[in-house]
Amino acid sequence: MTVPVRRCVLAACVTVAATFAVGGCAALGRATFTEPDVRLREFVVTGLGLTGGSVDLVLSVYNPNGYHLDAVKMTYRVDVDSIKLGEGELADRFVVQEKDSSLVRLPVRFTYAGLGAAGRALITSGTVNYRVRGDFTVATPLGSFTRPYDRTGRYSSVTGNR
């Protein structure tokens, strides 16, 4: 082989090896990635009108991994007593340090008609069942991952999340 051909073969081999190494690291990263724990921390009414209102849901996101998570995108859907309260996408980046929690504020707009009995239950008894779900896209030292989350619980306007 001539020198230019050897260089091309060598360059191709290095490229292929690098591709497999990066792919292997991403697969290893997915295998060692533990899902963040998401919990409803606070439910703050930010506005009320004649037909509906807006609330900020504050989620506590715990990172059980040994490295920080850089969340680049988060989608969410919030149900109250199995009735859709609202959904959306959070465009703001946030970082959750290793073995630590961060608070994430999600804005949700709702209508009274859509909330119905669930809203009345919260007003009359002060408690309501909730479900918050969606997915995270996080950048880690091992690659980017999109993973779902799904959390249910009972919220009390007096004591907060249970």
Side-chain angles (χ1 to χ4, degrees), residues 26 30 33 70 72 136-147:
R30 281 190 281 281
F33 179 77
D70 183 8
V72 295
F136 287 98
T137 300
V138 293
T140 72
L142 303 172
S144 291
F145 307 103
T146 298
R147 292 289 190 266

Side-chain angles (χ1 to χ4, degrees), residues 4 6 10 16 40 52 56 68 75 95 100 121 136-137 149-150 159-160:
R6 284 185 193 155
L10 180 61
V16 168
L40 178 64
D56 278 353
H68 77 273
T75 64
V95 175
D100 200 2
F136 287 98
T137 300
Y149 66 93
D150 194 336
T159 61

Side-chain angles (χ1 to χ4, degrees), residues 59-77:
L59 302 180
S60 173
V61 179
Y62 175 73
N63 174 15
N65 295 289
Y67 46 84
H68 77 273
L69 299 178
D70 183 8
V72 295
K73 182 175 129 182
M74 181 178 180
T75 64
Y76 57 92
R77 176 184 165 143

Side-chain angles (χ1 to χ4, degrees), residues 43-105:
F43 186 89
V44 180
V45 177
T46 56
L48 295 173
L50 295 175
T51 60
S54 58
V55 295
D56 278 353
L57 299 177
V58 179
L59 302 180
S60 173
V61 179
Y62 175 73
N63 174 15
N65 295 289
Y67 46 84
H68 77 273
L69 299 178
D70 183 8
V72 295
K73 182 175 129 182
M74 181 178 180
T75 64
Y76 57 92
R77 176 184 165 143
V78 182
D79 298 327
V80 178
D81 277 341
S82 70
I83 299 167
K84 180 180 162 186
L85 176 66
E87 63 186 345
E89 182 178 307
L90 184 65
D92 297 335
R93 286 179 89 123
F94 63 93
V95 175
V96 185
Q97 296 300 323
E98 63 184 69
K99 310 277 188 214
D100 200 2
S101 297
S102 288
L103 297 179
V104 179
R105 188 171 297 270

